[in-house]
Amino acid sequence: MSVLLRLPFWSAPLTADEGGYAEVARRWQRGETLYGSAWVDRPQGLVLVFRSLLHLGLGSPRALRMAAAAAAALLALLMLAVGRRLGGRIVGYAAAGLLAAAGSSPFIESFVLSGELLSALPTALSILAITAYARTGHRRWLFAAGLVAGCALMVRQAAFDATLAGCAYLAVMERRRALRKIALFTGAAAAPVALGAFTADDPGKWWSAVVAYRGARDSILTGSPAYRLSLLAGSLPASAKALALLAFLAAVGWRHSPLLARLWLGAALLGMLSGGNFHYHYYLQLTPPLSLLAGLGVARLIERPSQAKIGITGALVAATFALVAPMWFESPSAQARSIWPGDRHLAGDAAVARYIRSHTRPKDKVFVVWAAASIYYLADREPVLPYMWLRNFRVLPDAREQALRALVERKPRLVVVAQDPRQVDTGGAVARILSTDYERVAEIGEMAIYRPSLPDRLDQATSIGRSRRPRCSSAAKIEGRAATVLCHDPDAL
């Protein structure tokens, strides 16, 4: 069921995260430095998954979707085991079935090979190991639980739900004897993180990208609270379409649920909220614990039937099916418009990538304003800057300046305008540079493609002669930077 319900969306456009992680993995595979020229703000575990798939020849968009379906199927099997341990056979099969069905909703991007989906595997495995420790008391299970919980952190920083839930569970259940066991558990969890930090080519850059960037610049604690609340409110309608059934059944089973299940959901909720940007795939982190609690709710309804609760459950099942089923028969472009109404460029990314491949050489570099990392991957062309996501240009202090300098120096062979430049460049410098130094050569969907309209600096210096006044970009006046760097005539240096 996990595979079949994702099958209709295997041809949907590649997302920026999928394409970006795959592009970083490919550049890392080709010898570039991770967190250097191949910049990403995720730990090595996530990039290693994509690099492994590329090594196996599974780098096509459909192959990435197949890998996501396989991960979801494994997660459902893990939830079957966790449910049986915590509530019995009915709870196990109900939790697995609900995760496979409701957890496959496209409204939370369940078919995408995301960090949330991949980190859920070691998280669920850690919870399963904790149940083994609770049953046997053997500390080796506690060590194993901490180790795989640390592996989840090395896939995604916010995947701390198993670590947090495990520590809280030990504190409540062990009480005075908890400190040593919590130390064993957290020490095991810290091992994969320490390994990632010390094996990085530059631990300082690793810390800056994986820890400092996420914690200080791109989390729930940064930016305006009103802005974060608006992002949360904007994501709730889509998440409700996917998770309303699970949430209701979880509420039915809450009173009689085990402590570990409740702690897991609370920790997962904190992890989901900590990201702060509230993309739809963030809610995937909630689906395993919600499915577990929903399985307990199903068992409760079987033991003590309630016509009202059964009626509400039936209505939610029908509504969930009615919202998703029409999308199974839509075209990939229509699916993209339904799932990502705010990312209109996704439907045209593949066509833009084909244009780039046919009008550039393999070693040429391109620039997408401001994001659409999937274009770089599909076109197999390196970005002119190491940053491939919109948030990078919004929050990194020097990313916008580097982008302007690269445009003025005409480093990119082609420039794709995927988003309004004013989303980052409120002063309009990018638009003026494109209008003076570039020419529009194509328009695909809502994206415009530009190429430099002037020859190289040295060629221009030869053609205009030394007697003429150097021709400089208007960006020199806009930015107030060193005009010599922004002039097209090297004689002006």
Side-chain angles (χ1 to χ4, degrees), residues 31-211:
E32 295 191 40
T33 303
L34 198 60
Y35 309 111
S37 57
W39 195 91
V40 68
D41 62 346
R42 291 289 190 265
Q44 292 99 316
L46 178 60
V47 188
L48 276 172
V49 172
F50 281 85
R51 182 168 175 175
S52 300
L53 292 172
L54 293 177
H55 181 72
L56 295 173
L58 301 176
S60 68
R62 180 160 294 191
L64 296 179
R65 299 289 160 76
M66 292 171 62
L74 290 174
L75 182 60
L77 292 176
L78 283 173
M79 289 309 303
L80 170 61
V82 172
R84 291 192 65 166
R85 283 279 179 87
L86 292 178
R89 186 177 64 177
I90 292 176
V91 173
Y93 281 102
L98 287 168
L99 179 63
S104 298
S105 173
F107 293 110
I108 52 174
E109 303 177 26
S110 64
F111 56 90
V112 171
L113 189 62
S114 62
E116 288 76 11
L117 177 60
L118 292 171
S119 63
L121 287 170
T123 296
L125 195 59
S126 178
I127 298 296
L128 182 61
I130 292 174
T131 65
Y133 166 76
R135 186 181 62 175
T136 64
H138 294 158
R139 295 194 177 187
R140 64 174 179 267
W141 288 113
L142 202 56
F143 178 82
L147 193 63
V148 291
C151 292
L153 288 170
M154 285 305 295
V155 175
R156 181 172 174 264
Q157 297 95 317
F160 53 74
D161 37 339
T163 305
L164 183 58
C167 289
Y169 178 78
L170 291 172
V172 172
M173 299 302 294
E174 302 287 344
R175 297 187 181 182
R176 293 182 180 179
R177 299 173 299 172
L179 285 179
R180 289 185 178 180
K181 296 178 181 180
I182 289 176
L184 173 64
F185 178 73
T186 55
V193 180
L195 181 65
F198 289 120
T199 57
D201 289 332
D202 188 334
K205 290 183 178 180
W206 180 90
W207 178 269
S208 177
V210 175
V211 180

Side-chain angles (χ1 to χ4, degrees), residues 278-469:
F278 301 107
H279 298 299
Y280 299 145
H281 54 263
Y282 280 16
Y283 291 89
L284 282 171
Q285 189 168 1
L286 301 179
T287 55
L290 271 179
S291 298
L292 175 60
L293 290 165
L296 291 160
V298 169
R300 185 68 178 171
L301 286 178
I302 293 174
E303 293 173 1
R304 295 189 177 182
S306 167
Q307 290 186 354
K309 293 176 181 177
I310 292 175
I312 294 174
T313 301
L316 289 173
V317 169
T320 302
F321 178 81
L323 289 169
V324 174
M327 298 175 64
W328 296 341
F329 309 100
E330 291 180 346
S331 67
S333 297
Q335 290 174 342
R337 288 192 295 269
S338 299
I339 300 169
W340 303 291
D343 292 330
R344 299 181 180 179
H345 67 85
L346 287 175
D349 283 358
V352 171
R354 288 193 295 270
Y355 181 91
I356 292 174
R357 283 198 308 271
S358 62
H359 290 80
T360 58
R361 296 168 295 183
K363 292 186 178 181
D364 288 338
K365 295 187 177 183
V366 298
F367 182 35
V368 179
V369 178
W370 290 102
S374 53
I375 292 178
Y376 295 120
Y377 180 67
L378 294 172
D380 194 12
R381 297 295 184 269
E382 289 188 17
V384 73
L385 297 174
Y387 313 117
M388 297 187 292
W389 285 272
L390 177 64
R391 292 292 301 171
N392 303 157
F393 290 100
R394 281 178 169 171
V395 304
L396 288 174
D398 60 342
R400 174 180 169 272
E401 180 179 341
Q402 291 182 43
L404 291 174
R405 187 175 298 277
L407 287 172
V408 167
E409 295 177 353
R410 294 176 293 113
K411 289 183 177 180
R413 180 66 61 181
L414 291 176
V415 177
V416 180
V417 179
Q419 287 106 4
D420 187 344
R422 290 173 295 182
Q423 289 193 32
V424 174
D425 176 39
T426 56
V430 170
R432 284 188 281 271
I433 294 171
L434 291 177
S435 66
T436 57
D437 293 359
Y438 292 79
E439 59 181 347
R440 182 179 296 196
V441 293
E443 190 167 332
I444 300 175
E446 299 185 4
M447 289 180 280
I449 303 177
Y450 294 81
R451 70 181 178 192
S453 58
L454 296 175
D456 293 340
R457 293 184 183 181
L458 187 59
D459 294 340
Q460 187 187 3
T462 303
S463 63
I464 64 176
R466 299 194 177 194
S467 60
R468 293 185 57 183
R469 181 181 178 182

